[in-house]
Amino acid sequence: MTLRLNDITVTLGSGESRTTALHGLTTTFQPGALTALVGPSGSGKSTLLAVAGALLRPDEGQVVLGETDLASLTDRERARTRRTRIGYMFQSGNLLAGLTAEEQLLAAASLAGGRPRAVRDQARELLADVGLAHRLRHRPDQLSGGERQRVALARALLTRPELLLVDEPTAAVDRTRAGDLTGLIARTTHQHGCVTVVATHDPVVIEAADTTIDMLDHATATTG
Ligand code: ADP
Ligand code: MG
C-alpha cells in the first residue's frame, strides 16, 4: 500500500492568523520505507502528518491510502480508517486520561477489533521495547512527555497499522533512547511493510531513514 498526496493545499486559522501551511504539495510514500520529513519549524511537517492521518481535511487535493481516497469517505469511515489502518505517535501523545499505559494499548487493540486477552502479552512486550516495562500501571498524568509519547508509539505498533505517522519522536528523550526508538521504528517499518513518515530534526532519525523529504524543496518545487 502506498500513500499518495496529490496537490495538497491546507490553510489554517482565520483573520490575521490565516496561514497557508501546505501549498500544492504532491508526493508519494512507499510501503516498507521510513521517510524522514525535514524542514524548519513552521514548514508544515505536522500539518502534513495531520492531513495524511485523516485528522485534517485539506482545502484542496487528494490523500490516497492504497486504493482509498480519504476525501470520498464519510466521517464515520474516516474514524474507522484511523482506528484500523493508521498509527500515530504525536507529541501530545493523545492518550486517554484515566487509563494506565497498559490499558491504553488494550483499549486501542479492542477498538481496532482485536481481543484484549490475546494482545496483553504483546502489549507488555511493546511497552518493554519502548523502555516502559516499569510504567505499565502509570496513567498519563503520572508520565513524562517523552514517556507519554512512547506509550503512543507502543499503542500504534500494537494495531499493526498500514500507515505509521510519527511527529518528532526523539525530541523529549536522551540520546541512547533516541537511538533505541529510531531502531524500533525502522525495524517495524521494514518487517511489517508499513508506510512510515517521521517529522524530525534529529540526525539519528535522518541517518536511519530510507528517504528524506525536505519541506522547503517542496514549497518551491510545487508552487504554481
Ligand atoms: P512544523 O510542524 O513544520 O513546525 P506546522 O505544520 O505545525 O509546522 O505549521 C505550519 C504553519 O502553519 C506554521 O507557520 C504555523 O504557524 C501555522 N499554523 C499551525 N497551526 C495553525 C493554526 N491553528 N492557525 C494558524 N496557523 C497555524
Ligand atoms: Mg511540528
Side-chain angles (χ1 to χ4, degrees):
M1 194 237 34
T2 58
L3 166 67
R4 281 193 298 122
L5 302 184
N6 183 31
D7 210 7
I8 297 288
T9 294
V10 175
T11 310
L12 298 171
S14 57
E16 285 186 6
S17 75
R18 199 169 161 80
T19 305
T20 302
L22 298 176
H23 187 269
L25 184 139
T26 296
T27 189
T28 301
F29 300 91
Q30 299 299 335
L34 196 174
T35 301
L37 205 57
V38 304
S41 178
S43 60
K45 300 182 299 295
S46 295
T47 303
L48 188 157
L49 294 178
V51 167
L55 295 164
L56 180 66
R57 285 186 191 269
D59 297 275
E60 285 172 49
Q62 291 86 41
V63 180
V64 186
L65 193 58
E67 303 290 305
T68 315
D69 179 354
L70 294 183
S72 71
L73 302 181
T74 62
D75 286 346
R76 210 190 155 94
E77 288 166 338
R78 282 167 72 90
R80 183 177 161 72
T81 298
R82 288 194 293 268
R83 284 198 307 273
T84 59
R85 300 182 65 185
I86 308 177
Y88 308 87
M89 179 195 190
F90 288 173
Q91 285 178 294
S92 58
N94 300 110
L95 302 180
L96 299 164
L99 296 191
T100 67
E102 185 178 20
E103 288 164 350
Q104 305 282 343
L105 272 67
L106 300 181
S110 163
L111 284 171
R115 268 171 305 162
R117 249 178 219 193
V119 295
R120 190 179 289 269
D121 287 348
Q122 214 186 338
R124 290 191 180 169
E125 215 167 284
L126 279 165
L127 284 165
D129 286 345
V130 298
L132 293 176
H134 60 311
R135 292 284 183 268
L136 300 182
R137 308 260 174 272
H138 281 57
R139 295 187 301 273
D141 62 350
Q142 299 167 325
L143 296 167
S144 73
E147 286 174 338
R148 284 197 290 272
Q149 213 184 349
R150 282 186 273 150
V151 174
L153 177 62
R155 181 180 63 178
L157 298 182
L158 182 65
T159 55
R160 290 280 196 119
E162 294 167 63
L163 173 61
L164 177 62
L165 301 170
V166 184
D167 204 353
E168 311 217 13
T170 59
V173 296
D174 64 48
R175 294 288 79 200
T176 306
R177 182 73 64 206
D180 291 350
L181 288 176
T182 302
L184 178 63
I185 292 169
R187 261 196 327 278
T188 302
T189 303
H190 299 146
Q191 283 170 7
H192 298 188
C194 54
V195 172
T196 300
V197 187
V198 184
T200 189
H201 299 101
D202 190 338
V204 169
V205 180
I206 294 166
E207 173 72 21
D210 301 296
T211 325
T212 299
I213 291 182
D214 188 332
M215 297 301 288
L216 291 186
D217 290 348
H218 269 268
T220 49
T222 60
T223 46

